[in-house]
Amino acid sequence: MDHDGKLFINKINKAIKNNENLYYVKNNEDIVIEKYPNIYQKINDIFKSKNYIYKADVIIKTNKGEFKKTIIGRNSKNLITNESELIPIVDIIDIRINKKTA
């Protein structure tokens, strides 16, 4: 607060994109940087979907490849599959509903 008892509020004159993340893929000697929406938001959308009752058939893309999984739950760090497999959320590049089974 200043001496007059007023609170200073700084104006923000630019767009803020806090819920975007960055990752990079190194191909030979080129580095490609891509933006993707917040993975946590995509996961939340899957669990909030009207189609989600107790499981969701999804396709998960990580730096190790793309996998078809059935997720049944989550905790703060992992997705839990119907085979009791834990998939670290930080390793997920993209996740989407598997429309062939939905």
Side-chain angles (χ1 to χ4, degrees):
M1 289 192 194
D2 65 11
H3 297 292
D4 297 331
K6 297 179 183 176
L7 181 64
F8 173 77
I9 300 174
N10 193 17
K11 292 184 181 181
I12 300 173
N13 298 322
K14 62 180 180 177
I16 298 174
K17 297 182 180 183
N18 287 342
N19 45 328
E20 287 187 1
N21 293 318
L22 296 176
Y23 73 96
Y24 73 92
V25 178
K26 188 170 182 177
N27 255 350
N28 297 331
E29 302 210 11
D30 299 324
I31 295 179
V32 178
I33 298 177
E34 299 181 36
K35 288 185 179 183
Y36 61 92
N38 187 318
I39 290 301
Y40 290 95
Q41 185 60 49
K42 282 187 162 190
I43 292 168
N44 286 340
D45 290 347
I46 290 169
F47 282 103
K48 289 179 184 177
S49 167
K50 64 180 180 176
N51 297 327
Y52 177 80
I53 298 172
Y54 64 93
K55 65 178 183 173
D57 292 323
V58 296
I59 298 173
I60 298 173
K61 182 178 180 182
T62 70
N63 58 356
K64 295 178 183 176
E66 198 168 272
F67 309 97
K68 293 179 184 176
K69 299 289 181 181
T70 300
I71 55 174
I72 59 169
R74 65 180 168 185
N75 59 31
S76 61
K77 296 181 182 180
N78 301 292
L79 292 181
I80 304 165
T81 71
N82 63 335
E83 299 170 339
S84 299
E85 179 183 4
L86 298 177
I87 301 172
I89 295 172
V90 297
D91 291 348
I92 298 173
I93 295 170
D94 193 22
I95 185 170
R96 65 185 186 279
I97 296 286
N98 186 354
K99 293 185 180 183
K100 291 183 180 180
T101 59

